[in-house]
């Protein structure tokens, strides 16, 4: 709770988070796309955690809200959405994990084990090394986050493609 209050109670950060795109083009590639995607992934994770899977709901939801936070520094939105130098050289996964780690440093006596689990979720949320995950999911919450992220991203991309096709008069 303290970590969430520290991060989401920061007015400067929230302005960046609310404005940031969620991607450059494939999914949530618009101003405000990052917060839309993050909240939807958190909603999906919260729903999954209600099941009888023994998932740590609090860990899963805070990881869902933070999983793409590095995109606030990875992407820049001016007249178009593009990558920053830091985004190209480091990437949002590492940027986000570093941000989360720095925020944990600011919470007095943040549990070491919880920090490691949260770090794992953030570093593994792309699911596979070939999709730029530094590590692959190794705990149930990491699998849940990966699939929640995937379903929201894919459905948003399909919605965009369908809208583009409809605008061109195509039905397929």
């Amino acid at each position: 709770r303290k970590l969430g209050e520290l991060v989401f109670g920061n007015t400067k950060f929230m302005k960046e988070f609310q404005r940031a795109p969620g991607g450059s083009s494939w999914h949530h590639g618009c101003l405000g796309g990052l917060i839309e995607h993050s909240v939807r992934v958190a909603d999906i994770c919260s729903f999954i955690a209600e099941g009888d899977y023994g998932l740590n709901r609090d860990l899963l939801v805070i990881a869902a809200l933070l999983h793409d936070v590095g995109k606030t520094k990875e992407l820049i939105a001016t007249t178009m959405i593009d990558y920053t130098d830091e985004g190209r050289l480091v990437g949002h996964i590492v940027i986000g994990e570093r941000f989360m780690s720095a925020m944990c440093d600011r919470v007095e006596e943040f549990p070491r084990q919880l920090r490691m689990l949260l770090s794992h979720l953030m570093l593994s949320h792309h699911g596979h090394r070939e999709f730029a995950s530094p590590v692959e999911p190794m705990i149930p919450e990491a699998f849940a986050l990966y699939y929640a992220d995937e379903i929201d991203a894919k459905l948003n991309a399909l919605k965009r493609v369908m809208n583009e096709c409809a605008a061109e008069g195509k039905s397929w």
Side-chain angles (χ1 to χ4, degrees), residues 29-171:
C30 61
L31 295 179
L34 178 59
I35 194 165
E36 176 185 330
H37 174 60
S38 300
V39 169
R40 285 202 177 134
V41 172
D43 285 344
I44 294 167
C45 286
S46 182
F47 174 77
I48 292 168
E50 290 176 14
D52 187 24
Y53 308 113
L55 299 176
N56 180 330
R57 181 187 175 280
D58 292 343
L59 172 65
L60 188 52
V61 170
I62 192 70
L65 290 170
L66 292 174
H67 81 282
D68 274 344
V69 73
K71 290 186 177 186
T72 62
K73 303 295 183 209
E74 179 182 51
L75 300 170
I76 186 166
T78 54
T79 55
M80 60 182 265
I81 298 170
D82 200 1
Y83 288 85
T84 63
D85 289 343
E86 184 180 14
R88 289 185 191 279
L89 297 172
V90 179
H92 80 275
I93 294 174
V94 173
I95 296 167
E97 193 279 337
R98 287 177 178 170
F99 170 83
M100 177 279 304
S101 185
M103 293 297 102
C104 288
D105 285 343
R106 295 177 55 190
V107 175
E108 189 175 332
E109 297 181 23
F110 196 89
R112 184 176 170 281
Q113 179 73 8
L114 183 58
R115 181 183 188 146
M116 182 176 58
L117 294 174
L118 185 53
S119 180
H120 175 70
L121 267 73
M122 294 190 70
L123 292 173
S124 67
H125 82 265
H126 276 198
H128 306 280
R129 291 181 191 270
E130 59 266 26
F131 298 147
S133 267
V135 294
E136 294 187 0
M138 300 288 287
I139 61 173
E141 290 83 0
F143 282 97
L145 177 60
Y146 163 64
Y147 285 110
D149 182 35
E150 275 289 294
I151 194 70
D152 184 59
K154 295 286 191 287
L155 289 175
N156 181 267
L158 287 171
K159 178 181 165 187
R160 179 186 51 78
V161 169
M162 290 172 63
N163 287 341
E164 289 171 4
C165 287
E168 296 172 6
K170 299 176 184 175
S171 56

